[in-house]
Amino acid sequence: VRRKGAGGPGHGAAMANTRFMYVRQFEEDPACLRNTYMVVRLDGRGFTKFTKAHGFAKPNDVRALALMNRAALDVAKQFSEIFVAFGQSDEYSFAFRRDAQVFGRRQSKILSTIVSLFSAAYVFYWAEEMGKDCPLTTIPQFDGRIVIYPSLTNLADYFRWRQADCHINNLYNTVFWALVNKGGYDERAAEQKLSGTVSKDKHEIMFSQFGINYNNEPAMFRKGSLILRHDLDDQGFPKPVGEDAPAADAAVGETSMAGLEQERPKRKKQRAKARVAGPPQVLHVDFMKDAFWDALADY
């Protein structure tokens, strides 16, 4: 079997016209609906076993979270149409702009590329982030899916859901591992003690028995990791960028219909410039309020 293009000039074209080409009719490559937000979510596969094999610290391993963030930053840097991403534990979600045209919005191409890039980066940076005393002994795996959201409200609620999940899981894990690591409980006994407890009860156990004020735990543990291309203002909301873009929009009202077609390319470039913002950065902040997402409405 010869590789495509291995037979010299013209070989690939000759192969493409053989009678075997009909098999391409069986390929399916659906595209994501236009003018919607595409979210690619990655999850570690079999990570309970993987983390035990590599001795991850419980309830949170700072090195492992930093490794996830670094791999996610590589994805965001290579795909400029990703405008927000969020990660916690062994998962990461990447949101593309509504007008993203990456790979013609083909689902399989987008998903396979991001999963492979993230996985490769995770392995590539392992030694640097985890240290020489924690060699990689088994192969990490990530699965992925693409979900499309028709509105900014839907997208915001998706990310709010993931941050709420981060808080709930981390609160439970923090008190659970305090009982195991500091309280002398085995894992089954700790699980039984926490059965039926609510948030207030967990806070009380941590503070009264172990002197842990949950609100003083690192923000990365409690709030997860947000990747954004904006700086935040004093209220914690994304700062606007591309200040010339609104001025361009305002000028449209004074533009004659004859000159409108000439004005549109300029406005399009200005809006694109506004959406580029800065390089992606990792933040550990709340993003539950509507005002946070209103600042990202241009995407």
Side-chain angles (χ1 to χ4, degrees):
V1 178
R2 304 179 71 180
R3 293 185 297 108
K4 183 178 180 181
H11 178 76
M15 288 293 289
N17 292 324
T18 66
R19 63 188 177 89
F20 305 111
M21 185 179 174
Y22 79 93
V23 297
R24 296 193 61 184
Q25 298 175 31
F26 295 98
E27 296 179 8
E28 291 186 357
D29 196 5
C32 293
L33 187 66
R34 296 176 64 86
N35 199 35
T36 59
Y37 297 100
M38 300 182 293
V39 173
V40 177
R41 177 175 164 184
L42 309 183
D43 284 283
R45 180 174 178 270
F47 256 57
T48 298
K49 183 177 180 180
F50 179 83
T51 57
K52 287 183 178 180
H54 293 90
F56 280 26
K58 302 292 185 181
N60 294 286
D61 193 308
V62 176
R63 305 168 303 167
L65 293 174
L67 177 58
M68 290 286 291
N69 290 338
R70 192 165 181 185
L73 274 174
D74 264 23
V75 173
K77 288 175 182 176
Q78 292 206 31
F79 290 89
S80 62
E81 292 176 310
I82 292 174
F83 72 100
V84 63
F86 177 75
Q88 57 142 333
S89 186
D90 64 343
E91 73 170 60
Y92 238 103
S93 299
F94 302 90
F96 286 83
R97 302 186 326 225
R98 295 172 67 100
D99 61 353
Q101 294 301 317
V102 56
F103 300 135
R105 300 178 70 91
R106 292 153 55 198
Q107 291 186 26
S108 61
K109 191 79 170 182
I110 296 170
L111 185 59
S112 61
T113 303
I114 290 184
V115 171
S116 62
L117 173 58
F118 186 94
S119 301
Y122 189 88
V123 173
F124 186 81
Y125 296 122
W126 175 275
E128 189 172 339
E129 295 294 341
M130 299 299 293
K132 296 181 180 179
D133 60 337
C134 186
L136 185 61
T137 58
T138 60
I139 300 174
Q141 301 177 55
F142 295 90
D143 60 42
R145 73 203 75 174
I146 293 183
V147 183
I148 57 174
Y149 295 96
S151 71
L152 184 64
T153 298
N154 298 144
L155 181 72
D157 284 346
Y158 168 79
F159 280 104
R160 288 170 177 139
W161 169 49
R162 300 320 306 144
Q163 187 168 62
D165 187 74
C166 173
H167 164 69
I168 293 170
N169 288 340
N170 190 66
L171 177 62
Y172 180 91
N173 289 336
T174 300
V175 65
F176 177 88
W177 287 105
L179 290 169
V180 173
N181 295 334
K182 300 179 180 180
Y185 287 72
D186 61 31
E187 294 186 16
R188 177 172 293 184
E191 184 176 351
Q192 291 176 343
K193 183 174 178 61
L194 294 177
S195 178
T197 60
V198 296
S199 176
K200 181 181 178 180
D201 301 327
K202 295 179 178 68
H203 281 275
E204 177 63 25
I205 292 172
M206 283 189 287
F207 189 75
S208 63
Q209 297 188 29
F210 307 107
I212 298 175
N213 184 335
Y214 182 75
N215 293 326
N216 293 335
E217 290 292 290
M220 179 168 63
F221 301 165
R222 294 181 290 112
K223 301 177 181 181
S225 297
L226 179 75
I227 292 181
L228 202 64
R229 299 181 187 275
H230 294 251
D231 292 326
L232 302 182
D233 62 20
D234 294 338
Q235 294 181 296
F237 304 139
K239 290 182 179 179
V241 295
E243 296 294 345
D244 54 342
D249 287 339
V252 172
E254 303 174 3
T255 302
S256 66
M257 290 302 294
L260 187 57
E261 292 301 324
Q262 296 178 352
E263 193 69 25
R264 280 175 177 165
K266 180 180 178 181
R267 291 171 55 218
K268 185 175 182 181
K269 289 181 180 179
Q270 287 173 326
R271 284 176 175 170
K273 179 181 178 182
R275 287 196 293 262
V276 168
Q281 57 181 317
V282 178
L283 306 168
H284 311 295
V285 296
D286 287 320
F287 46 79
M288 291 290 180
K289 294 183 178 179
D290 289 341
F292 184 96
W293 295 98
D294 289 344
L296 301 176
D298 284 342
Y299 293 91

PDB file of all heavy atoms in Angstrom, residues 224-256:
ATOM      1  N   GLY A 224     -12.823  27.368  39.966  1.00  0.00           N
ATOM      2  CA  GLY A 224     -12.362  26.833  38.699  1.00  0.00           C
ATOM      3  C   GLY A 224     -11.466  27.818  37.974  1.00  0.00           C
ATOM      4  O   GLY A 224     -11.057  28.854  38.517  1.00  0.00           O
ATOM      5  N   SER A 225     -11.161  27.507  36.714  1.00  0.00           N
ATOM      6  CA  SER A 225     -10.235  28.315  35.917  1.00  0.00           C
ATOM      7  C   SER A 225     -10.935  28.805  34.654  1.00  0.00           C
ATOM      8  O   SER A 225     -11.408  28.010  33.843  1.00  0.00           O
ATOM      9  CB  SER A 225      -8.999  27.494  35.542  1.00  0.00           C
ATOM     10  OG  SER A 225      -8.283  27.112  36.708  1.00  0.00           O
ATOM     11  N   LEU A 226     -10.975  30.115  34.507  1.00  0.00           N
ATOM     12  CA  LEU A 226     -11.603  30.754  33.353  1.00  0.00           C
ATOM     13  C   LEU A 226     -10.515  31.284  32.431  1.00  0.00           C
ATOM     14  O   LEU A 226      -9.586  31.952  32.884  1.00  0.00           O
ATOM     15  CB  LEU A 226     -12.497  31.906  33.816  1.00  0.00           C
ATOM     16  CG  LEU A 226     -13.208  32.710  32.727  1.00  0.00           C
ATOM     17  CD1 LEU A 226     -14.371  31.894  32.155  1.00  0.00           C
ATOM     18  CD2 LEU A 226     -13.711  34.037  33.276  1.00  0.00           C
ATOM     19  N   ILE A 227     -10.623  30.968  31.154  1.00  0.00           N
ATOM     20  CA  ILE A 227      -9.701  31.524  30.161  1.00  0.00           C
ATOM     21  C   ILE A 227     -10.452  32.597  29.384  1.00  0.00           C
ATOM     22  O   ILE A 227     -11.524  32.351  28.829  1.00  0.00           O
ATOM     23  CB  ILE A 227      -9.163  30.442  29.221  1.00  0.00           C
ATOM     24  CG1 ILE A 227      -8.251  29.477  29.994  1.00  0.00           C
ATOM     25  CG2 ILE A 227      -8.401  31.063  28.048  1.00  0.00           C
ATOM     26  CD1 ILE A 227      -7.647  28.378  29.150  1.00  0.00           C
ATOM     27  N   LEU A 228      -9.861  33.792  29.375  1.00  0.00           N
ATOM     28  CA  LEU A 228     -10.510  34.944  28.766  1.00  0.00           C
ATOM     29  C   LEU A 228      -9.453  35.781  28.058  1.00  0.00           C
ATOM     30  O   LEU A 228      -8.286  35.783  28.454  1.00  0.00           O
ATOM     31  CB  LEU A 228     -11.200  35.773  29.858  1.00  0.00           C
ATOM     32  CG  LEU A 228     -12.339  36.710  29.466  1.00  0.00           C
ATOM     33  CD1 LEU A 228     -13.523  35.925  28.904  1.00  0.00           C
ATOM     34  CD2 LEU A 228     -12.792  37.517  30.686  1.00  0.00           C
ATOM     35  N   ARG A 229      -9.877  36.508  27.031  1.00  0.00           N
ATOM     36  CA  ARG A 229      -8.951  37.384  26.297  1.00  0.00           C
ATOM     37  C   ARG A 229      -9.086  38.840  26.740  1.00  0.00           C
ATOM     38  O   ARG A 229      -8.539  39.729  26.104  1.00  0.00           O
ATOM     39  CB  ARG A 229      -9.206  37.267  24.792  1.00  0.00           C
ATOM     40  CG  ARG A 229      -8.984  35.863  24.245  1.00  0.00           C
ATOM     41  CD  ARG A 229      -9.228  35.786  22.761  1.00  0.00           C
ATOM     42  NE  ARG A 229      -9.177  34.431  22.289  1.00  0.00           N
ATOM     43  CZ  ARG A 229      -8.061  33.783  21.938  1.00  0.00           C
ATOM     44  NH1 ARG A 229      -6.905  34.408  22.004  1.00  0.00           N
ATOM     45  NH2 ARG A 229      -8.105  32.535  21.525  1.00  0.00           N
ATOM     46  N   HIS A 230      -9.815  39.071  27.810  1.00  0.00           N
ATOM     47  CA  HIS A 230     -10.033  40.414  28.331  1.00  0.00           C
ATOM     48  C   HIS A 230      -9.403  40.556  29.713  1.00  0.00           C
ATOM     49  O   HIS A 230      -9.336  39.592  30.476  1.00  0.00           O
ATOM     50  CB  HIS A 230     -11.533  40.706  28.487  1.00  0.00           C
ATOM     51  CG  HIS A 230     -12.286  40.757  27.205  1.00  0.00           C
ATOM     52  ND1 HIS A 230     -12.775  41.916  26.670  1.00  0.00           N
ATOM     53  CD2 HIS A 230     -12.646  39.768  26.349  1.00  0.00           C
ATOM     54  CE1 HIS A 230     -13.413  41.647  25.547  1.00  0.00           C
ATOM     55  NE2 HIS A 230     -13.348  40.355  25.326  1.00  0.00           N
ATOM     56  N   ASP A 231      -9.013  41.780  30.060  1.00  0.00           N
ATOM     57  CA  ASP A 231      -8.753  42.115  31.444  1.00  0.00           C
ATOM     58  C   ASP A 231     -10.093  42.387  32.105  1.00  0.00           C
ATOM     59  O   ASP A 231     -11.105  42.607  31.431  1.00  0.00           O
ATOM     60  CB  ASP A 231      -7.851  43.352  31.545  1.00  0.00           C
ATOM     61  CG  ASP A 231      -6.439  43.069  31.044  1.00  0.00           C
ATOM     62  OD1 ASP A 231      -5.968  41.926  31.235  1.00  0.00           O
ATOM     63  OD2 ASP A 231      -5.822  43.974  30.459  1.00  0.00           O
ATOM     64  N   LEU A 232     -10.112  42.381  33.452  1.00  0.00           N
ATOM     65  CA  LEU A 232     -11.341  42.642  34.179  1.00  0.00           C
ATOM     66  C   LEU A 232     -11.308  44.033  34.804  1.00  0.00           C
ATOM     67  O   LEU A 232     -10.243  44.515  35.205  1.00  0.00           O
ATOM     68  CB  LEU A 232     -11.549  41.587  35.270  1.00  0.00           C
ATOM     69  CG  LEU A 232     -11.606  40.127  34.804  1.00  0.00           C
ATOM     70  CD1 LEU A 232     -11.858  39.210  35.985  1.00  0.00           C
ATOM     71  CD2 LEU A 232     -12.673  39.925  33.740  1.00  0.00           C
ATOM     72  N   ASP A 233     -12.471  44.657  34.893  1.00  0.00           N
ATOM     73  CA  ASP A 233     -12.533  45.965  35.528  1.00  0.00           C
ATOM     74  C   ASP A 233     -12.645  45.793  37.040  1.00  0.00           C
ATOM     75  O   ASP A 233     -12.564  44.673  37.564  1.00  0.00           O
ATOM     76  CB  ASP A 233     -13.696  46.783  34.962  1.00  0.00           C
ATOM     77  CG  ASP A 233     -15.057  46.149  35.211  1.00  0.00           C
ATOM     78  OD1 ASP A 233     -15.173  45.300  36.120  1.00  0.00           O
ATOM     79  OD2 ASP A 233     -16.016  46.494  34.502  1.00  0.00           O
ATOM     80  N   ASP A 234     -12.866  46.899  37.748  1.00  0.00           N
ATOM     81  CA  ASP A 234     -12.901  46.868  39.212  1.00  0.00           C
ATOM     82  C   ASP A 234     -14.062  46.041  39.753  1.00  0.00           C
ATOM     83  O   ASP A 234     -14.028  45.586  40.898  1.00  0.00           O
ATOM     84  CB  ASP A 234     -12.984  48.295  39.763  1.00  0.00           C
ATOM     85  CG  ASP A 234     -11.728  49.105  39.477  1.00  0.00           C
ATOM     86  OD1 ASP A 234     -10.672  48.476  39.239  1.00  0.00           O
ATOM     87  OD2 ASP A 234     -11.798  50.343  39.486  1.00  0.00           O
ATOM     88  N   GLN A 235     -15.088  45.854  38.949  1.00  0.00           N
ATOM     89  CA  GLN A 235     -16.237  45.062  39.377  1.00  0.00           C
ATOM     90  C   GLN A 235     -16.118  43.592  38.983  1.00  0.00           C
ATOM     91  O   GLN A 235     -17.013  42.803  39.277  1.00  0.00           O
ATOM     92  CB  GLN A 235     -17.518  45.655  38.783  1.00  0.00           C
ATOM     93  CG  GLN A 235     -17.860  47.034  39.304  1.00  0.00           C
ATOM     94  CD  GLN A 235     -19.149  47.560  38.692  1.00  0.00           C
ATOM     95  OE1 GLN A 235     -19.242  47.775  37.481  1.00  0.00           O
ATOM     96  NE2 GLN A 235     -20.164  47.751  39.519  1.00  0.00           N
ATOM     97  N   GLY A 236     -15.028  43.248  38.315  1.00  0.00           N
ATOM     98  CA  GLY A 236     -14.831  41.869  37.909  1.00  0.00           C
ATOM     99  C   GLY A 236     -15.477  41.509  36.593  1.00  0.00           C
ATOM    100  O   GLY A 236     -15.652  40.322  36.284  1.00  0.00           O
ATOM    101  N   PHE A 237     -15.827  42.519  35.773  1.00  0.00           N
ATOM    102  CA  PHE A 237     -16.436  42.274  34.476  1.00  0.00           C
ATOM    103  C   PHE A 237     -15.414  42.536  33.368  1.00  0.00           C
ATOM    104  O   PHE A 237     -14.515  43.361  33.524  1.00  0.00           O
ATOM    105  CB  PHE A 237     -17.656  43.165  34.274  1.00  0.00           C
ATOM    106  CG  PHE A 237     -18.694  43.036  35.351  1.00  0.00           C
ATOM    107  CD1 PHE A 237     -19.355  44.152  35.843  1.00  0.00           C
ATOM    108  CD2 PHE A 237     -19.000  41.791  35.883  1.00  0.00           C
ATOM    109  CE1 PHE A 237     -20.313  44.032  36.842  1.00  0.00           C
ATOM    110  CE2 PHE A 237     -19.950  41.651  36.883  1.00  0.00           C
ATOM    111  CZ  PHE A 237     -20.606  42.779  37.368  1.00  0.00           C
ATOM    112  N   PRO A 238     -15.530  41.847  32.236  1.00  0.00           N
ATOM    113  CA  PRO A 238     -14.580  42.053  31.129  1.00  0.00           C
ATOM    114  C   PRO A 238     -14.566  43.507  30.656  1.00  0.00           C
ATOM    115  O   PRO A 238     -15.624  44.106  30.430  1.00  0.00           O
ATOM    116  CB  PRO A 238     -15.092  41.108  30.036  1.00  0.00           C
ATOM    117  CG  PRO A 238     -15.852  40.060  30.781  1.00  0.00           C
ATOM    118  CD  PRO A 238     -16.496  40.778  31.932  1.00  0.00           C
ATOM    119  N   LYS A 239     -13.382  44.052  30.496  1.00  0.00           N
ATOM    120  CA  LYS A 239     -13.248  45.411  29.980  1.00  0.00           C
ATOM    121  C   LYS A 239     -13.521  45.419  28.482  1.00  0.00           C
ATOM    122  O   LYS A 239     -13.135  44.493  27.771  1.00  0.00           O
ATOM    123  CB  LYS A 239     -11.836  45.944  30.242  1.00  0.00           C
ATOM    124  CG  LYS A 239     -11.519  46.222  31.696  1.00  0.00           C
ATOM    125  CD  LYS A 239     -10.116  46.798  31.818  1.00  0.00           C
ATOM    126  CE  LYS A 239      -9.774  47.115  33.263  1.00  0.00           C
ATOM    127  NZ  LYS A 239      -8.394  47.667  33.380  1.00  0.00           N
ATOM    128  N   PRO A 240     -14.158  46.481  27.973  1.00  0.00           N
ATOM    129  CA  PRO A 240     -14.380  46.580  26.523  1.00  0.00           C
ATOM    130  C   PRO A 240     -13.060  46.793  25.799  1.00  0.00           C
ATOM    131  O   PRO A 240     -12.121  47.372  26.347  1.00  0.00           O
ATOM    132  CB  PRO A 240     -15.299  47.793  26.388  1.00  0.00           C
ATOM    133  CG  PRO A 240     -15.020  48.619  27.601  1.00  0.00           C
ATOM    134  CD  PRO A 240     -14.711  47.629  28.696  1.00  0.00           C
ATOM    135  N   VAL A 241     -12.990  46.327  24.569  1.00  0.00           N
ATOM    136  CA  VAL A 241     -11.811  46.517  23.732  1.00  0.00           C
ATOM    137  C   VAL A 241     -12.252  47.073  22.399  1.00  0.00           C
ATOM    138  O   VAL A 241     -13.432  47.050  22.055  1.00  0.00           O
ATOM    139  CB  VAL A 241     -11.041  45.192  23.507  1.00  0.00           C
ATOM    140  CG1 VAL A 241     -10.457  44.674  24.799  1.00  0.00           C
ATOM    141  CG2 VAL A 241     -11.959  44.148  22.872  1.00  0.00           C
ATOM    142  N   GLY A 242     -11.291  47.594  21.619  1.00  0.00           N
ATOM    143  CA  GLY A 242     -11.619  48.128  20.298  1.00  0.00           C
ATOM    144  C   GLY A 242     -12.582  49.284  20.388  1.00  0.00           C
ATOM    145  O   GLY A 242     -13.667  49.259  19.827  1.00  0.00           O
ATOM    146  N   GLU A 243     -12.190  50.329  21.128  1.00  0.00           N
ATOM    147  CA  GLU A 243     -13.093  51.449  21.372  1.00  0.00           C
ATOM    148  C   GLU A 243     -13.542  52.138  20.083  1.00  0.00           C
ATOM    149  O   GLU A 243     -14.533  52.848  20.064  1.00  0.00           O
ATOM    150  CB  GLU A 243     -12.415  52.481  22.282  1.00  0.00           C
ATOM    151  CG  GLU A 243     -12.107  51.945  23.673  1.00  0.00           C
ATOM    152  CD  GLU A 243     -13.369  51.628  24.475  1.00  0.00           C
ATOM    153  OE1 GLU A 243     -14.448  52.083  24.076  1.00  0.00           O
ATOM    154  OE2 GLU A 243     -13.268  50.908  25.474  1.00  0.00           O
ATOM    155  N   ASP A 244     -12.795  51.942  18.975  1.00  0.00           N
ATOM    156  CA  ASP A 244     -13.179  52.589  17.734  1.00  0.00           C
ATOM    157  C   ASP A 244     -14.367  51.918  17.061  1.00  0.00           C
ATOM    158  O   ASP A 244     -15.026  52.492  16.212  1.00  0.00           O
ATOM    159  CB  ASP A 244     -11.997  52.628  16.740  1.00  0.00           C
ATOM    160  CG  ASP A 244     -11.418  51.242  16.499  1.00  0.00           C
ATOM    161  OD1 ASP A 244     -11.672  50.345  17.324  1.00  0.00           O
ATOM    162  OD2 ASP A 244     -10.718  51.075  15.482  1.00  0.00           O
ATOM    163  N   ALA A 245     -14.663  50.666  17.444  1.00  0.00           N
ATOM    164  CA  ALA A 245     -15.760  49.941  16.803  1.00  0.00           C
ATOM    165  C   ALA A 245     -17.120  50.576  17.061  1.00  0.00           C
ATOM    166  O   ALA A 245     -17.911  50.760  16.147  1.00  0.00           O
ATOM    167  CB  ALA A 245     -15.757  48.477  17.254  1.00  0.00           C
ATOM    168  N   PRO A 246     -17.463  50.971  18.329  1.00  0.00           N
ATOM    169  CA  PRO A 246     -18.759  51.616  18.547  1.00  0.00           C
ATOM    170  C   PRO A 246     -18.895  52.913  17.769  1.00  0.00           C
ATOM    171  O   PRO A 246     -19.960  53.232  17.272  1.00  0.00           O
ATOM    172  CB  PRO A 246     -18.774  51.864  20.064  1.00  0.00           C
ATOM    173  CG  PRO A 246     -17.861  50.811  20.613  1.00  0.00           C
ATOM    174  CD  PRO A 246     -16.775  50.690  19.583  1.00  0.00           C
ATOM    175  N   ALA A 247     -17.797  53.674  17.655  1.00  0.00           N
ATOM    176  CA  ALA A 247     -17.838  54.921  16.908  1.00  0.00           C
ATOM    177  C   ALA A 247     -18.185  54.658  15.449  1.00  0.00           C
ATOM    178  O   ALA A 247     -18.921  55.400  14.818  1.00  0.00           O
ATOM    179  CB  ALA A 247     -16.499  55.638  17.017  1.00  0.00           C
ATOM    180  N   ALA A 248     -17.634  53.581  14.926  1.00  0.00           N
ATOM    181  CA  ALA A 248     -17.920  53.226  13.529  1.00  0.00           C
ATOM    182  C   ALA A 248     -19.391  52.895  13.354  1.00  0.00           C
ATOM    183  O   ALA A 248     -20.030  53.272  12.377  1.00  0.00           O
ATOM    184  CB  ALA A 248     -17.051  52.044  13.100  1.00  0.00           C
ATOM    185  N   ASP A 249     -19.968  52.175  14.338  1.00  0.00           N
ATOM    186  CA  ASP A 249     -21.385  51.842  14.254  1.00  0.00           C
ATOM    187  C   ASP A 249     -22.240  53.099  14.301  1.00  0.00           C
ATOM    188  O   ASP A 249     -23.240  53.214  13.603  1.00  0.00           O
ATOM    189  CB  ASP A 249     -21.778  50.906  15.400  1.00  0.00           C
ATOM    190  CG  ASP A 249     -21.224  49.510  15.187  1.00  0.00           C
ATOM    191  OD1 ASP A 249     -20.912  49.184  14.039  1.00  0.00           O
ATOM    192  OD2 ASP A 249     -21.121  48.763  16.173  1.00  0.00           O
ATOM    193  N   ALA A 250     -21.849  54.054  15.156  1.00  0.00           N
ATOM    194  CA  ALA A 250     -22.622  55.287  15.287  1.00  0.00           C
ATOM    195  C   ALA A 250     -22.614  56.079  13.992  1.00  0.00           C
ATOM    196  O   ALA A 250     -23.581  56.758  13.644  1.00  0.00           O
ATOM    197  CB  ALA A 250     -22.048  56.130  16.426  1.00  0.00           C
ATOM    198  N   ALA A 251     -21.522  55.982  13.266  1.00  0.00           N
ATOM    199  CA  ALA A 251     -21.392  56.757  12.041  1.00  0.00           C
ATOM    200  C   ALA A 251     -22.271  56.226  10.920  1.00  0.00           C
ATOM    201  O   ALA A 251     -22.552  56.929   9.951  1.00  0.00           O
ATOM    202  CB  ALA A 251     -19.938  56.770  11.577  1.00  0.00           C
ATOM    203  N   VAL A 252     -22.736  55.008  11.065  1.00  0.00           N
ATOM    204  CA  VAL A 252     -23.538  54.414   9.999  1.00  0.00           C
ATOM    205  C   VAL A 252     -24.822  55.203   9.772  1.00  0.00           C
ATOM    206  O   VAL A 252     -25.301  55.350   8.650  1.00  0.00           O
ATOM    207  CB  VAL A 252     -23.858  52.941  10.333  1.00  0.00           C
ATOM    208  CG1 VAL A 252     -24.842  52.377   9.328  1.00  0.00           C
ATOM    209  CG2 VAL A 252     -22.584  52.129  10.336  1.00  0.00           C
ATOM    210  N   GLY A 253     -25.394  55.719  10.854  1.00  0.00           N
ATOM    211  CA  GLY A 253     -26.633  56.464  10.731  1.00  0.00           C
ATOM    212  C   GLY A 253     -26.489  57.702   9.871  1.00  0.00           C
ATOM    213  O   GLY A 253     -27.475  58.213   9.339  1.00  0.00           O
ATOM    214  N   GLU A 254     -25.278  58.190   9.738  1.00  0.00           N
ATOM    215  CA  GLU A 254     -25.054  59.385   8.952  1.00  0.00           C
ATOM    216  C   GLU A 254     -24.530  59.062   7.555  1.00  0.00           C
ATOM    217  O   GLU A 254     -24.190  59.949   6.788  1.00  0.00           O
ATOM    218  CB  GLU A 254     -24.053  60.288   9.676  1.00  0.00           C
ATOM    219  CG  GLU A 254     -24.511  60.671  11.085  1.00  0.00           C
ATOM    220  CD  GLU A 254     -23.445  61.436  11.834  1.00  0.00           C
ATOM    221  OE1 GLU A 254     -22.390  61.706  11.224  1.00  0.00           O
ATOM    222  OE2 GLU A 254     -23.655  61.759  13.004  1.00  0.00           O
ATOM    223  N   THR A 255     -24.446  57.809   7.239  1.00  0.00           N
ATOM    224  CA  THR A 255     -23.906  57.393   5.951  1.00  0.00           C
ATOM    225  C   THR A 255     -25.033  57.197   4.946  1.00  0.00           C
ATOM    226  O   THR A 255     -26.051  56.576   5.254  1.00  0.00           O
ATOM    227  CB  THR A 255     -23.124  56.061   6.093  1.00  0.00           C
ATOM    228  OG1 THR A 255     -22.104  56.255   7.047  1.00  0.00           O
ATOM    229  CG2 THR A 255     -22.504  55.652   4.771  1.00  0.00           C
ATOM    230  N   SER A 256     -24.872  57.713   3.754  1.00  0.00           N
ATOM    231  CA  SER A 256     -25.886  57.549   2.722  1.00  0.00           C
ATOM    232  C   SER A 256     -25.926  56.108   2.260  1.00  0.00           C
ATOM    233  O   SER A 256     -24.961  55.360   2.402  1.00  0.00           O
ATOM    234  CB  SER A 256     -25.566  58.457   1.538  1.00  0.00           C
ATOM    235  OG  SER A 256     -24.370  58.053   0.915  1.00  0.00           O
TER     236      SER A 256
END
